[in-house]
Amino acid sequence: MKEIRDAKIIDHLIYVNLFDDLKSNELEQVAKYLRLIEFDANEMLFRESAKGEFACFIVDGELQVLKGEPGSEVEIATLTRGRSIGEMSIIDRFPRSASVRSVTSGKLIMLHKDQFEELLDEHPRIGVRLLLRVSRLMSLNLRKTSALLAEVLPVAGEV
């Protein structure tokens, strides 16, 4: 991954649902804390159990979310424009719960944990709104995971 310097990040925020309800002046404030990153096809963006320090929002491209040891990973999701990855890492200090590899080349908007904390300090109203949106994303993902788990677990009494 490499940063695209001098990018007008605000032009890319329209592709990310997390920022949908922000006004243009709020988007300008938020853009100061973000970085635009490009990646190549078949690039490992991060590995499961690595230290998580940033969340990413897909602007362009396709990513695979993988679970398991290198070489025997299982794909658990494919993500495209508008989706997020790694959002738990800007809230907690736990290692990554999955690996992410690019399928195609593309671009991400990156929010580092330190920049998110700065945003919360300097623009608390905007920061809290984004925190609520991230929390809703995580809640939705947990609900989807619970539903999938319920489909594969045996019913009580069955073996």
Side-chain angles (χ1 to χ4, degrees), residues 18 55 57 83-94 96-97 116 130-146:
L18 185 77
F57 309 97
R83 301 290 304 272
S84 62
I85 54 171
E87 60 274 2
M88 291 188 296
S89 70
I90 62 172
I91 295 174
D92 65 28
R93 299 196 183 281
F94 294 108
R96 298 280 188 193
S97 62
F116 185 58
L130 289 178
L131 188 57
L132 285 170
R133 295 292 298 256
V134 167
S135 298
R136 285 185 198 119
L137 276 174
M138 291 179 2
S139 175
L140 180 60
N141 289 340
L142 181 58
R143 289 175 190 276
K144 287 178 184 177
T145 301
S146 295

Side-chain angles (χ1 to χ4, degrees), residues 32-50:
K32 295 174 187 175
Y33 299 91
L34 304 172
R35 295 172 29 208
L36 188 63
I37 306 292
E38 43 182 15
F39 56 86
D40 296 323
N42 203 35
E43 184 175 345
M44 188 61 72
L45 303 182
F46 51 79
R47 290 217 175 262
E48 183 176 349
S49 77

Side-chain angles (χ1 to χ4, degrees), residues 48-98:
E48 183 176 349
S49 77
K51 184 177 181 181
E53 297 181 322
F54 58 89
C56 294
F57 309 97
I58 305 168
V59 172
D60 188 35
E62 185 175 310
L63 305 177
Q64 291 177 314
V65 181
L66 307 165
K67 198 78 174 134
E69 296 296 318
S72 62
E73 299 114 335
V74 174
E75 182 180 333
I76 59 173
T78 300
L79 305 175
T80 57
R81 180 177 18 204
R83 301 290 304 272
S84 62
I85 54 171
E87 60 274 2
M88 291 188 296
S89 70
I90 62 172
I91 295 174
D92 65 28
R93 299 196 183 281
F94 294 108
R96 298 280 188 193
S97 62

